[in-house]
Amino acid sequence: MPKQTLPQRLRAKQVAAENSIGLSTVWRYAKLGKLTPIRVTDGVTVFDRDEVNALFGCKTSSGEPR
């Protein structure tokens, strides 16, 4: 079975769900500079998966541990 690739960008709700934190915490981390928000459109902001994983001590998007 082929290895599934994860999306490289995550919405704030996905960041919160995958890391068991509140949505407001995601935005607080962005405000504090711990996460860099990437504005796609007026209503859509995403976060880089590798940056999120680095912050929370998870694996990189390629599956390699940090």
Side-chain angles (χ1 to χ4, degrees):
M1 181 172 236
K3 185 178 178 181
Q4 288 184 330
T5 59
L6 299 172
Q8 299 301 308
R9 306 279 190 239
L10 300 170
R11 299 285 301 264
K13 192 172 185 178
Q14 292 172 302
V15 173
E18 288 185 11
N19 295 288
S20 302
I21 60 172
L23 187 57
S24 60
T25 303
V26 175
W27 293 112
R28 184 177 309 115
Y29 285 171
K31 185 176 181 179
L32 293 172
K34 294 182 178 185
L35 287 174
T36 306
I38 303 164
R39 192 170 188 141
V40 179
T41 64
D42 284 340
V44 178
T45 302
V46 295
F47 298 89
D48 181 69
R49 178 178 290 279
D50 287 338
E51 183 181 29
V52 170
N53 290 344
L55 178 63
F56 293 102
C58 302
K59 293 180 179 179
T60 62
S61 59
S62 64
E64 298 298 318
R66 289 203 156 267

